[in-house]
């Protein structure tokens, strides 16, 4: 019986010690004698006040600017501290602990209190929102009344904010339009007589044949040429004055005789009954309108010959793209009949009118035609390069926030500070946009998650407008 009583007293003492230790731990009181019981000297600290809401990220246990979206540990094995929604709900950079030690919160004047969830709601005195979260005080000096937005390092990492340095670069894009292959008008020649003539015989040349300059095309008889040739021989035989001889030669030239034929008359001192007509250039016979024995009227087209070693491509550029196409712009041409092959050229002319029906402007591109593979009236796919050769200030397209009536970029001022800046844009192409006014080369602009900072800037402006003098202490 005595042993049972002693055992009960011992158990009661252990329970009492446990309850006392628990109370001491909660209240932060020292617990003497624990070393004697367990051989250690514990240090019990008051439990830290826990935040509310879900865990939004994890921070280094020493308060260093190292964050993680998932639980992790430091190199020495300590777990990162969980930061909940109520502990970080503002874009504002929290003042360092040492700054608060030198400038107590009580010494700073509170301007007003703002909604912890970023809603456009302020209060002149402390209050809670519908979720029980305390409104955040805005101290004097924190709201500078400007457009600079401060973002905490943790939020920068979570939202994926990324910035790049503004550089000068060449900005351009390709204008893709349809076109057709046409002959170069300057490389087309017509064979015709300047007087009535009778065709004696025509060379074995047909439409589509390749001819060379000086090749014989036909032989004909012309009374006017015969009479002018006889006068030329008479002037030569009587030793006429240079003026008379020159006049007779000029008449022969006016009738279309080549210098080769006139030289032959002067050498043989005989006017041939049939005058030979030669090809005026290298090229392809486009038309043959002459047969043996026919009578040719003055000016009648007997042959049409075109040199196709160089051709034109006429492309129709829509009116809204017309402003970016310039003379000398590089162009690449592809035709569907020659897959995998392209031809390079440059814009040589921009026609001075816009088609009334198509609302397009025609441009001319001159390209070489090796082997004569490009034929007149072929359809072509044309790519015209735009943009100047001089580098301009440009930013990635993702850096532009287009609000319709204005375009904005977010400048990275460093140390978590950002400033929206209205800019004037120019050409776009290749993933970059020209900036004509607003920023300069060397500035840093936000290229990722910039719309979040822009939203916070707009919210900040709205809060300033809602914070009336009556609402501020």
């Amino acid at each position: 019986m005595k042993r049972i009583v002693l055992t009960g007293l011992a158990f009661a003492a252990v329970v009492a010690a446990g309850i006392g230790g628990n109370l001491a731990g909660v209240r932060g009181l020292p617990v003497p004698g624990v070393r004697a019981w367990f051989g250690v000297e514990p240090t019990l600290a008051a439990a830290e006040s826990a935040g509310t809401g879900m865990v939004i990220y994890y921070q280094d246990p020493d308060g260093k600017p190292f964050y993680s979206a998932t639980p992790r540990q430091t190199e020495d094995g300590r777990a990162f501290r969980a930061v909940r929604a109520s502990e970080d709900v503002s874009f504002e950079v929290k003042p360092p602990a040492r700054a608060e030690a030198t400038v107590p919160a009580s010494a700073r004047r509170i301007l007003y209190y703002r909604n912890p969830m970023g809603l456009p709601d302020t209060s002149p005195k402390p209050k809670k929102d519908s979720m029980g979260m305390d409104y955040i005080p805005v101290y004097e000096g924190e709201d500078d009344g400007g457009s600079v937005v401060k973002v905490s390092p943790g939020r920068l990492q979570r939202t994926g904010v990324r910035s790049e340095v503004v550089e000068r670069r060449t900005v351009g894009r390709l204008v893709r339009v349809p076109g057709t292959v046409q002959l170069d008008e300057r490389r087309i020649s017509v064979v015709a007589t300047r007087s009535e003539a009778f065709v004696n015989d025509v060379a074995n040349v047909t439409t589509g044949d390749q001819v060379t300059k000086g090749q014989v095309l036909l032989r004909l008889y012309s009374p006017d040429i015969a009479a002018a040739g006889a006068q030329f021989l008479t002037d030569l035989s009587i030793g006429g004055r240079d003026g008379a001889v020159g006049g007779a030669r000029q008449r022969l030239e006016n009738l279309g005789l080549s210098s080769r034929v006139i030289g032959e008359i002067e050498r043989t001192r005989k006017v041939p009954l049939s005058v030979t007509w030669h090809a005026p250039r290298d090229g392809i016979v486009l038309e043959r309108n002459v047969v043996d024995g026919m009578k040719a009227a003055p000016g009648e087209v007997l042959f049409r010959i075109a040199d196709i070693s160089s051709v034109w491509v006429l492309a129709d550029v829509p009116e809204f793209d017309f402003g970016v196409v310039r003379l000398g712009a590089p162009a690449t041409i592809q035709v569907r009949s020659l897959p995998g092959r392209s031809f390079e050229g440059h814009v040589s002319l921009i026609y001075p009118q816009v088609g009334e029906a198509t609302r397009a402007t025609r441009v001319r591109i001159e390209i070489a035609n090796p082997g004569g593979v490009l034929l007149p009236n072929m359809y072509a796919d044309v790519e015209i390069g735009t943009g100047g050769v001089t580098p301009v200030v440009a930013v990635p397209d993702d850096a532009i926030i287009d609000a319709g009536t204005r375009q904005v970029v977010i400048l990275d001022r460093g140390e978590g500070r950002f400033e929206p800046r209205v800019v004037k844009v120019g050409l776009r192409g290749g993933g970059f946009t020209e900036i004509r006014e607003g920023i300069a080369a060397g500035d840093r602009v936000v290229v990722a998650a910039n719309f979040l900072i822009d939203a916070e800037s707009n919210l900040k402006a709205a809060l300033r407008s809602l914070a009336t003098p009556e609402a501020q202490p």
Side-chain angles (χ1 to χ4, degrees), residues 324-368:
V324 299
V325 177
R326 58 180 176 81
L327 288 176
T332 302
I333 292 90
Q334 293 181 335
V335 293
R336 298 174 184 177
S337 60
L338 300 172
R341 187 171 179 181
S342 60
F343 302 85
E344 304 296 330
H346 293 82
V347 175
S348 60
L349 179 67
I350 300 176
Y351 287 80
Q353 69 269 353
V354 177
E356 184 176 356
T358 61
R359 308 311 305 169
T361 301
R362 178 160 290 185
V363 300
R364 187 171 77 198
I365 304 164
E366 298 183 18
I367 59 174

Side-chain angles (χ1 to χ4, degrees), residues 49-52 56-57 81-90 94 133:
S49 59
T52 60
I56 53 178
Y57 63 93
R81 182 177 68 86
V83 179
R84 298 184 178 274
S86 64
E87 298 178 87
D88 186 11
V89 294
S90 171
K94 297 177 181 179
M133 300 175 62

Side-chain angles (χ1 to χ4, degrees), residues 72-338:
R72 60 175 292 186
Q73 295 182 342
T74 61
E75 295 181 356
D76 55 2
R78 292 180 298 152
F80 271 41
R81 182 177 68 86
V83 179
R84 298 184 178 274
S86 64
E87 298 178 87
D88 186 11
V89 294
S90 171
F91 276 130
E92 303 292 338
V93 176
K94 297 177 181 179
R98 60 178 179 273
E100 291 189 357
T102 57
V103 182
S106 59
R108 294 184 297 166
R109 187 167 69 93
I110 297 178
L111 299 178
Y112 55 90
Y113 296 83
R114 68 181 180 87
N115 190 285
M117 300 304 296
L119 298 177
D121 182 22
T122 62
S123 173
K125 59 184 179 179
K127 63 179 290 189
K128 295 181 180 293
D129 65 358
S130 59
M131 300 176 59
M133 300 175 62
D134 293 328
Y135 272 46
I136 300 174
V138 178
Y139 292 94
E140 186 176 16
E142 292 182 355
D143 189 354
D144 55 7
S147 59
V148 175
V149 177
K150 298 179 182 179
V151 182
S152 64
R155 189 168 295 273
L156 283 177
Q157 186 175 29
R158 294 196 313 276
T159 56
V161 175
R162 181 168 54 86
S163 60
E164 292 184 5
V165 177
V166 179
E167 298 179 352
R168 302 183 69 90
R169 64 180 72 240
T170 301
V171 178
R173 62 185 176 88
L174 294 178
V175 175
R176 295 179 172 88
V177 292
T180 56
V181 179
Q182 299 293 334
L183 294 173
D184 188 338
E185 297 171 354
R186 301 164 299 186
R187 296 174 179 267
I188 300 176
S189 298
V190 170
V191 176
T193 62
R194 300 178 182 178
S195 63
E196 287 190 351
F198 297 89
V199 178
N200 292 336
D201 61 89
V202 183
N204 186 21
V205 176
T206 60
T207 302
D209 286 349
Q210 177 82 36
V211 296
T212 58
K213 183 177 181 179
Q215 181 177 336
V216 175
L217 297 179
L218 55 89
R219 298 180 184 276
L220 54 81
Y221 167 74
S222 171
D224 293 340
I225 293 177
Q231 182 64 42
F232 177 60
L233 288 179
T234 300
D235 292 343
L236 289 175
S237 61
I238 63 176
R241 294 171 299 176
D242 293 340
V245 175
R249 177 186 290 273
Q250 185 64 48
R251 284 193 293 273
L252 290 176
E253 292 178 352
N254 292 342
L255 289 172
L257 263 69
S258 64
S259 58
R260 177 190 298 183
V261 175
I262 295 176
E264 184 68 17
I265 294 174
E266 185 177 4
R267 184 180 62 82
T268 61
R269 299 300 174 103
K270 181 186 297 184
V271 179
L273 295 178
S274 297
V275 179
T276 303
W277 232 253
H278 301 87
R281 66 167 60 247
D282 297 340
I284 299 293
V285 177
L286 300 180
E287 295 181 24
R288 169 181 159 161
N289 302 317
V290 59
V291 294
D292 293 347
M294 69 173 286
K295 179 182 178 181
E300 183 176 356
V301 176
L302 305 180
F303 287 93
R304 186 184 298 273
I305 301 172
D307 180 5
I308 62 172
S309 61
S310 177
V311 295
W312 291 349
V313 175
L314 302 181
D316 294 326
V317 178
E319 189 174 0
F320 61 83
D321 279 332
F322 173 68
V324 299
V325 177
R326 58 180 176 81
L327 288 176
T332 302
I333 292 90
Q334 293 181 335
V335 293
R336 298 174 184 177
S337 60
L338 300 172

Side-chain angles (χ1 to χ4, degrees), residues 420-456:
R421 180 71 61 83
V422 177
V423 296
K424 291 184 178 180
V425 301
L427 293 177
R428 297 176 184 259
F432 291 90
T433 301
E434 177 189 0
I435 303 298
R436 296 180 177 176
E437 184 178 330
I439 60 175
D443 292 338
R444 293 190 68 90
V445 295
V446 179
V447 297
N450 47 359
F451 66 95
L452 294 176
I453 302 176
D454 184 58
E456 178 69 8

